[in-house]
Amino acid sequence: MKRVVIEPVTRVEGHGKVTILLDAQGCVQQARLHIVEFRGFERFVQGRPFWEVPVLVQRLCGICPVSHHLAAAKAMDRIVGGEKLTPTAEKIRRLMHYGQFFQSHALHFFHLCSPDLLFGFDADPATRNVVGVAGRYPDLAVQGVMMRKYGQEIILRTAGKKIHGTGAIPGGVNKNLSLTERDELLKDLEKNLVWSRKAVHIAKEYTVAHLEELTPFGSFDSNHLSIVRADGALELYDGNLRAITPGGDKIFDQVDCQNYFGYLREEVRSWSYMKFPFIKALGPADGWYRVGPLARLNTCDFIDTPEAEAARREFTAVTKGRPNNITMAYHWARMIELLHAIEKIAELLHDPDLQGTDLTVSGERRGETVGIIEAPRGTLIHHYRVDAQDQVTMANLIVSTTHNNEPMNRAVQRVAEQFLSGNEITEGLLNRVEVAIRAYDPCLSCATHALGRMPLVVELRDAAGHLIDQRGRGVSAAALAAADALRPAAP
């Protein structure tokens, strides 16, 4: 058996590598996305007082701290019996959440994914990057920067800081939005709404124009999971769980998030620190699923903001109303959510409840709790137990990228089957493997509760584990040699 190793993958958040296993005939047998770091936040928070958790868990990641902040805060709401928030508290949290969605989706689309779409998968990596975008499409690059800045300004004014804020506390929030802060955010609202419409148009035009090429690219039928509102609408902050089959049939629907463990389980594999969640009723072989923008647009019945709903209808028309299983359609779905987020931000900024002063609530205390939200990358589950001394005794986090673990492995395998030829590791193969992974906008830092960045190394090994080809970029020759010295022989 031969191995092709891509280590690490670039333009995603966190450390990882890809190994493509070949059989004796040189055909792709299996692909593995390895997560090679471990930080162990689930153990780290044990023994800490519960009120510290919404702030502590944000250190999992510098990219999506708001998502962890809000998921943990939702969980701790139930510890203090304060899950029914005041209108001001819930709307401040929702505004914070939509700000996070807006800046995160803008970051991924304009900074990480747009080089693939604008320059093509075969473009020179030296120019196929955000610097290249800034050089050839300066207006688009500036637009991406300013959109992310706007989302961060919303987070600043609702959470207290752009990164690792403290706005959400058990049972509520610690500040409202002043009229001065609201008026500052309103100044740039219309501009960001216009840019969001353009972003949806770019993603739609690209996907439709390249549909024949993109439909098989890293694609496969899958189940889909997300939370939805009671009436089936797209819901990002608070709802019940829904899972559907590749054909759109409901596997389960309106499951109370507190009961998630009765429907979802996790499998551990020896070659990755990232777990493999699956739907309990279907088992690990058939119960894996996708989460994130593509899954959310597949599971929801409609979107409750007019422009995003119109965009969703165009999106679903491509597959004649059936679930969309095209991996590269994640980008189009992501931009529809970006438009939804800015529509929601506009709605909230005109709501006087944001200036209310009733910020917290409490009730009957509990010892076990689950907080689930939709993070930009997908469903985020925080599960805790707290003892009578207010200390956390158990924590289990199932983050968005973990849910997408099996789909990312399958996407890499599909790409390798299509583009790997012989014993030569081509730049085109490396690019396409990264493109397939990047469609999921993975945050490997969150998935393993670690933080870092990724250059790229690829190795080709024969059936005996001998290195027969190697290519790398963004990593030193010394690092390659050190990694090779430590790497075990092929299985």
Side-chain angles (χ1 to χ4, degrees), residues 303-339:
I303 300 177
D304 68 349
T305 54
E307 295 195 45
E309 170 60 10
R312 186 196 70 86
R313 289 178 179 275
E314 292 182 331
F315 180 85
T316 58
V318 170
T319 51
K320 297 180 172 54
R322 292 175 59 82
N324 189 321
N325 288 296
I326 302 171
T327 294
M328 290 298 287
Y330 260 102
H331 299 304
W332 185 3
R334 190 170 288 115
M335 290 304 94
I336 293 173
E337 288 191 341
L338 178 90
L339 180 59

Tab-separated table of all heavy atoms in Angstrom, residues 303-339:
chain	number	residue	atom	x	y	z
A	303	ILE	N	-36.508	30.775	5.005
A	303	ILE	CA	-35.747	31.773	5.757
A	303	ILE	C	-36.665	32.964	6.010
A	303	ILE	O	-37.381	33.405	5.104
A	303	ILE	CB	-34.482	32.216	4.984
A	303	ILE	CG1	-33.569	31.013	4.721
A	303	ILE	CG2	-33.722	33.280	5.749
A	303	ILE	CD1	-32.323	31.342	3.895
A	304	ASP	N	-36.650	33.480	7.219
A	304	ASP	CA	-37.624	34.508	7.585
A	304	ASP	C	-37.182	35.939	7.275
A	304	ASP	O	-37.736	36.884	7.846
A	304	ASP	CB	-38.002	34.376	9.066
A	304	ASP	CG	-36.843	34.720	9.991
A	304	ASP	OD1	-35.707	34.858	9.509
A	304	ASP	OD2	-37.080	34.855	11.220
A	305	THR	N	-36.207	36.110	6.410
A	305	THR	CA	-35.873	37.459	5.910
A	305	THR	C	-36.044	37.433	4.389
A	305	THR	O	-35.655	36.462	3.726
A	305	THR	CB	-34.436	37.872	6.275
A	305	THR	OG1	-33.520	36.871	5.824
A	305	THR	CG2	-34.288	38.049	7.786
A	306	PRO	N	-36.629	38.477	3.814
A	306	PRO	CA	-37.102	38.383	2.423
A	306	PRO	C	-36.010	38.169	1.375
A	306	PRO	O	-36.179	37.340	0.476
A	306	PRO	CB	-37.823	39.727	2.220
A	306	PRO	CG	-37.295	40.631	3.282
A	306	PRO	CD	-36.977	39.754	4.444
A	307	GLU	N	-34.919	38.886	1.473
A	307	GLU	CA	-33.904	38.761	0.418
A	307	GLU	C	-33.177	37.416	0.499
A	307	GLU	O	-32.876	36.793	-0.529
A	307	GLU	CB	-32.917	39.923	0.497
A	307	GLU	CG	-33.559	41.279	0.207
A	307	GLU	CD	-32.532	42.359	-0.067
A	307	GLU	OE1	-31.585	42.115	-0.823
A	307	GLU	OE2	-32.676	43.457	0.512
A	308	ALA	N	-32.865	36.971	1.711
A	308	ALA	CA	-32.223	35.655	1.863
A	308	ALA	C	-33.164	34.541	1.433
A	308	ALA	O	-32.731	33.535	0.852
A	308	ALA	CB	-31.772	35.460	3.307
A	309	GLU	N	-34.462	34.692	1.705
A	309	GLU	CA	-35.424	33.664	1.283
A	309	GLU	C	-35.504	33.609	-0.250
A	309	GLU	O	-35.561	32.516	-0.836
A	309	GLU	CB	-36.797	33.951	1.882
A	309	GLU	CG	-37.941	33.113	1.341
A	309	GLU	CD	-37.762	31.597	1.554
A	309	GLU	OE1	-36.844	31.176	2.278
A	309	GLU	OE2	-38.562	30.846	0.948
A	310	ALA	N	-35.490	34.761	-0.887
A	310	ALA	CA	-35.494	34.763	-2.354
A	310	ALA	C	-34.237	34.075	-2.892
A	310	ALA	O	-34.293	33.305	-3.859
A	310	ALA	CB	-35.579	36.198	-2.859
A	311	ALA	N	-33.105	34.339	-2.242
A	311	ALA	CA	-31.853	33.692	-2.660
A	311	ALA	C	-31.904	32.194	-2.406
A	311	ALA	O	-31.384	31.392	-3.192
A	311	ALA	CB	-30.676	34.321	-1.918
A	312	ARG	N	-32.530	31.797	-1.282
A	312	ARG	CA	-32.647	30.356	-0.986
A	312	ARG	C	-33.475	29.656	-2.050
A	312	ARG	O	-33.164	28.531	-2.466
A	312	ARG	CB	-33.287	30.155	0.393
A	312	ARG	CG	-33.331	28.696	0.871
A	312	ARG	CD	-34.296	28.511	2.036
A	312	ARG	NE	-35.679	28.667	1.621
A	312	ARG	CZ	-36.428	27.673	1.118
A	312	ARG	NH1	-35.915	26.459	0.986
A	312	ARG	NH2	-37.680	27.901	0.767
A	313	ARG	N	-34.538	30.304	-2.510
A	313	ARG	CA	-35.385	29.687	-3.540
A	313	ARG	C	-34.589	29.471	-4.831
A	313	ARG	O	-34.755	28.443	-5.509
A	313	ARG	CB	-36.611	30.552	-3.787
A	313	ARG	CG	-37.614	30.514	-2.627
A	313	ARG	CD	-38.804	31.431	-2.895
A	313	ARG	NE	-39.759	31.383	-1.814
A	313	ARG	CZ	-40.732	30.465	-1.700
A	313	ARG	NH1	-40.847	29.532	-2.641
A	313	ARG	NH2	-41.563	30.483	-0.683
A	314	GLU	N	-33.747	30.425	-5.175
A	314	GLU	CA	-32.891	30.235	-6.362
A	314	GLU	C	-31.915	29.082	-6.141
A	314	GLU	O	-31.626	28.303	-7.055
A	314	GLU	CB	-32.131	31.524	-6.661
A	314	GLU	CG	-33.011	32.663	-7.139
A	314	GLU	CD	-32.205	33.906	-7.473
A	314	GLU	OE1	-31.123	34.096	-6.856
A	314	GLU	OE2	-32.649	34.679	-8.328
A	315	PHE	N	-31.412	28.987	-4.911
A	315	PHE	CA	-30.468	27.924	-4.556
A	315	PHE	C	-31.128	26.556	-4.686
A	315	PHE	O	-30.555	25.623	-5.274
A	315	PHE	CB	-29.985	28.163	-3.120
A	315	PHE	CG	-29.006	27.160	-2.591
A	315	PHE	CD1	-27.651	27.289	-2.842
A	315	PHE	CD2	-29.443	26.076	-1.827
A	315	PHE	CE1	-26.745	26.367	-2.338
A	315	PHE	CE2	-28.547	25.163	-1.325
A	315	PHE	CZ	-27.193	25.297	-1.585
A	316	THR	N	-32.327	26.402	-4.135
A	316	THR	CA	-32.985	25.095	-4.159
A	316	THR	C	-33.479	24.739	-5.562
A	316	THR	O	-33.663	23.556	-5.875
A	316	THR	CB	-34.174	25.061	-3.174
A	316	THR	OG1	-35.102	26.110	-3.523
A	316	THR	CG2	-33.701	25.278	-1.753
A	317	ALA	N	-33.683	25.747	-6.415
A	317	ALA	CA	-34.146	25.478	-7.778
A	317	ALA	C	-33.105	24.694	-8.571
A	317	ALA	O	-33.451	23.926	-9.483
A	317	ALA	CB	-34.475	26.784	-8.487
A	318	VAL	N	-31.846	24.859	-8.234
A	318	VAL	CA	-30.767	24.159	-8.950
A	318	VAL	C	-30.919	22.647	-8.820
A	318	VAL	O	-30.632	21.896	-9.753
A	318	VAL	CB	-29.393	24.625	-8.421
A	318	VAL	CG1	-28.271	23.748	-8.958
A	318	VAL	CG2	-29.152	26.080	-8.798
A	319	THR	N	-31.399	22.202	-7.660
A	319	THR	CA	-31.585	20.756	-7.440
A	319	THR	C	-33.068	20.402	-7.419
A	319	THR	O	-33.447	19.383	-6.857
A	319	THR	CB	-30.914	20.330	-6.113
A	319	THR	OG1	-31.366	21.196	-5.047
A	319	THR	CG2	-29.408	20.415	-6.218
A	320	LYS	N	-33.872	21.279	-8.016
A	320	LYS	CA	-35.314	21.033	-8.152
A	320	LYS	C	-35.982	20.757	-6.809
A	320	LYS	O	-36.861	19.884	-6.688
A	320	LYS	CB	-35.567	19.886	-9.133
A	320	LYS	CG	-35.074	20.195	-10.550
A	320	LYS	CD	-35.329	19.035	-11.498
A	320	LYS	CE	-35.034	19.409	-12.936
A	320	LYS	NZ	-33.688	19.952	-13.177
A	321	GLY	N	-35.549	21.480	-5.792
A	321	GLY	CA	-36.169	21.393	-4.478
A	321	GLY	C	-35.643	20.280	-3.592
A	321	GLY	O	-35.972	20.227	-2.401
A	322	ARG	N	-34.845	19.394	-4.144
A	322	ARG	CA	-34.264	18.332	-3.332
A	322	ARG	C	-33.023	18.857	-2.601
A	322	ARG	O	-32.446	19.877	-2.998
A	322	ARG	CB	-33.882	17.142	-4.211
A	322	ARG	CG	-35.095	16.416	-4.798
A	322	ARG	CD	-34.652	15.316	-5.758
A	322	ARG	NE	-33.786	14.328	-5.104
A	322	ARG	CZ	-34.219	13.326	-4.376
A	322	ARG	NH1	-35.513	13.178	-4.188
A	322	ARG	NH2	-33.377	12.475	-3.839
A	323	PRO	N	-32.571	18.183	-1.540
A	323	PRO	CA	-31.353	18.632	-0.851
A	323	PRO	C	-30.169	18.737	-1.806
A	323	PRO	O	-29.992	17.894	-2.692
A	323	PRO	CB	-31.134	17.541	0.204
A	323	PRO	CG	-32.497	17.003	0.483
A	323	PRO	CD	-33.214	17.057	-0.832
A	324	ASN	N	-29.392	19.752	-1.625
A	324	ASN	CA	-28.208	19.991	-2.453
A	324	ASN	C	-27.017	19.282	-1.805
A	324	ASN	O	-26.652	19.587	-0.668
A	324	ASN	CB	-27.946	21.498	-2.545
A	324	ASN	CG	-26.867	21.848	-3.549
A	324	ASN	OD1	-25.875	21.146	-3.655
A	324	ASN	ND2	-27.064	22.926	-4.284
A	325	ASN	N	-26.425	18.328	-2.499
A	325	ASN	CA	-25.282	17.578	-1.961
A	325	ASN	C	-23.970	17.917	-2.673
A	325	ASN	O	-23.008	17.153	-2.623
A	325	ASN	CB	-25.568	16.072	-2.063
A	325	ASN	CG	-26.629	15.617	-1.067
A	325	ASN	OD1	-26.420	15.700	0.143
A	325	ASN	ND2	-27.770	15.164	-1.557
A	326	ILE	N	-23.935	19.067	-3.342
A	326	ILE	CA	-22.725	19.508	-4.043
A	326	ILE	C	-21.816	20.222	-3.037
A	326	ILE	O	-22.170	21.274	-2.507
A	326	ILE	CB	-23.072	20.457	-5.199
A	326	ILE	CG1	-24.033	19.774	-6.181
A	326	ILE	CG2	-21.814	20.931	-5.907
A	326	ILE	CD1	-24.594	20.703	-7.245
A	327	THR	N	-20.670	19.648	-2.784
A	327	THR	CA	-19.778	20.206	-1.758
A	327	THR	C	-19.447	21.678	-2.019
A	327	THR	O	-19.452	22.501	-1.098
A	327	THR	CB	-18.483	19.374	-1.691
A	327	THR	OG1	-18.805	18.069	-1.211
A	327	THR	CG2	-17.467	20.020	-0.764
A	328	MET	N	-19.164	22.026	-3.267
A	328	MET	CA	-18.769	23.401	-3.558
A	328	MET	C	-19.932	24.384	-3.453
A	328	MET	O	-19.730	25.602	-3.489
A	328	MET	CB	-18.129	23.478	-4.939
A	328	MET	CG	-16.755	22.801	-5.015
A	328	MET	SD	-15.536	23.566	-3.923
A	328	MET	CE	-15.225	25.095	-4.794
A	329	ALA	N	-21.172	23.868	-3.294
A	329	ALA	CA	-22.324	24.757	-3.074
A	329	ALA	C	-22.316	25.345	-1.670
A	329	ALA	O	-23.112	26.240	-1.367
A	329	ALA	CB	-23.620	24.007	-3.335
A	330	TYR	N	-21.426	24.853	-0.799
A	330	TYR	CA	-21.278	25.462	0.532
A	330	TYR	C	-21.045	26.970	0.418
A	330	TYR	O	-21.540	27.753	1.228
A	330	TYR	CB	-20.101	24.833	1.271
A	330	TYR	CG	-20.483	23.781	2.294
A	330	TYR	CD1	-20.352	22.434	2.007
A	330	TYR	CD2	-20.948	24.129	3.553
A	330	TYR	CE1	-20.679	21.454	2.940
A	330	TYR	CE2	-21.277	23.172	4.500
A	330	TYR	CZ	-21.148	21.828	4.186
A	330	TYR	OH	-21.483	20.877	5.118
A	331	HIS	N	-20.251	27.379	-0.580
A	331	HIS	CA	-19.907	28.800	-0.673
A	331	HIS	C	-21.138	29.651	-0.987
A	331	HIS	O	-21.319	30.736	-0.414
A	331	HIS	CB	-18.835	29.000	-1.748
A	331	HIS	CG	-17.556	28.275	-1.456
A	331	HIS	ND1	-16.860	28.458	-0.281
A	331	HIS	CD2	-16.840	27.368	-2.181
A	331	HIS	CE1	-15.775	27.690	-0.286
A	331	HIS	NE2	-15.746	27.022	-1.425
A	332	TRP	N	-21.968	29.177	-1.891
A	332	TRP	CA	-23.194	29.904	-2.238
A	332	TRP	C	-24.127	29.960	-1.017
A	332	TRP	O	-24.669	31.015	-0.667
A	332	TRP	CB	-23.864	29.195	-3.415
A	332	TRP	CG	-25.073	29.871	-3.983
A	332	TRP	CD1	-25.613	31.068	-3.602
A	332	TRP	CD2	-25.911	29.363	-5.037
A	332	TRP	NE1	-26.725	31.342	-4.353
A	332	TRP	CE2	-26.928	30.315	-5.242
A	332	TRP	CE3	-25.884	28.209	-5.820
A	332	TRP	CZ2	-27.928	30.139	-6.206
A	332	TRP	CZ3	-26.876	28.030	-6.782
A	332	TRP	CH2	-27.881	28.986	-6.968
A	333	ALA	N	-24.292	28.805	-0.354
A	333	ALA	CA	-25.130	28.771	0.850
A	333	ALA	C	-24.594	29.715	1.921
A	333	ALA	O	-25.362	30.405	2.611
A	333	ALA	CB	-25.186	27.335	1.391
A	334	ARG	N	-23.276	29.767	2.027
A	334	ARG	CA	-22.654	30.633	3.047
A	334	ARG	C	-22.980	32.107	2.784
A	334	ARG	O	-23.244	32.884	3.708
A	334	ARG	CB	-21.143	30.381	3.047
A	334	ARG	CG	-20.381	31.011	4.198
A	334	ARG	CD	-18.956	30.497	4.238
A	334	ARG	NE	-18.872	29.122	4.686
A	334	ARG	CZ	-18.446	28.099	3.938
A	334	ARG	NH1	-18.014	28.316	2.706
A	334	ARG	NH2	-18.427	26.866	4.415
A	335	MET	N	-22.977	32.497	1.517
A	335	MET	CA	-23.269	33.898	1.193
A	335	MET	C	-24.755	34.224	1.382
A	335	MET	O	-25.113	35.347	1.702
A	335	MET	CB	-22.808	34.207	-0.224
A	335	MET	CG	-21.294	34.245	-0.387
A	335	MET	SD	-20.456	35.415	0.743
A	335	MET	CE	-20.010	34.340	2.133
A	336	ILE	N	-25.622	33.235	1.185
A	336	ILE	CA	-27.048	33.461	1.494
A	336	ILE	C	-27.215	33.704	2.988
A	336	ILE	O	-27.989	34.579	3.406
A	336	ILE	CB	-27.880	32.244	1.017
A	336	ILE	CG1	-27.851	32.166	-0.513
A	336	ILE	CG2	-29.318	32.358	1.515
A	336	ILE	CD1	-28.487	30.906	-1.083
A	337	GLU	N	-26.477	32.965	3.799
A	337	GLU	CA	-26.530	33.205	5.245
A	337	GLU	C	-25.929	34.561	5.608
A	337	GLU	O	-26.369	35.219	6.551
A	337	GLU	CB	-25.791	32.090	5.987
A	337	GLU	CG	-26.533	30.764	5.978
A	337	GLU	CD	-25.933	29.754	6.933
A	337	GLU	OE1	-24.749	29.923	7.331
A	337	GLU	OE2	-26.630	28.796	7.272
A	338	LEU	N	-24.911	34.976	4.874
A	338	LEU	CA	-24.337	36.307	5.100
A	338	LEU	C	-25.410	37.373	4.881
A	338	LEU	O	-25.549	38.309	5.688
A	338	LEU	CB	-23.170	36.526	4.130
A	338	LEU	CG	-22.480	37.883	4.194
A	338	LEU	CD1	-21.340	37.847	5.206
A	338	LEU	CD2	-21.912	38.267	2.819
A	339	LEU	N	-26.180	37.223	3.807
A	339	LEU	CA	-27.251	38.177	3.522
A	339	LEU	C	-28.325	38.112	4.604
A	339	LEU	O	-28.840	39.154	5.041
A	339	LEU	CB	-27.851	37.862	2.145
A	339	LEU	CG	-28.988	38.758	1.665
A	339	LEU	CD1	-28.554	40.217	1.588
A	339	LEU	CD2	-29.492	38.282	0.295
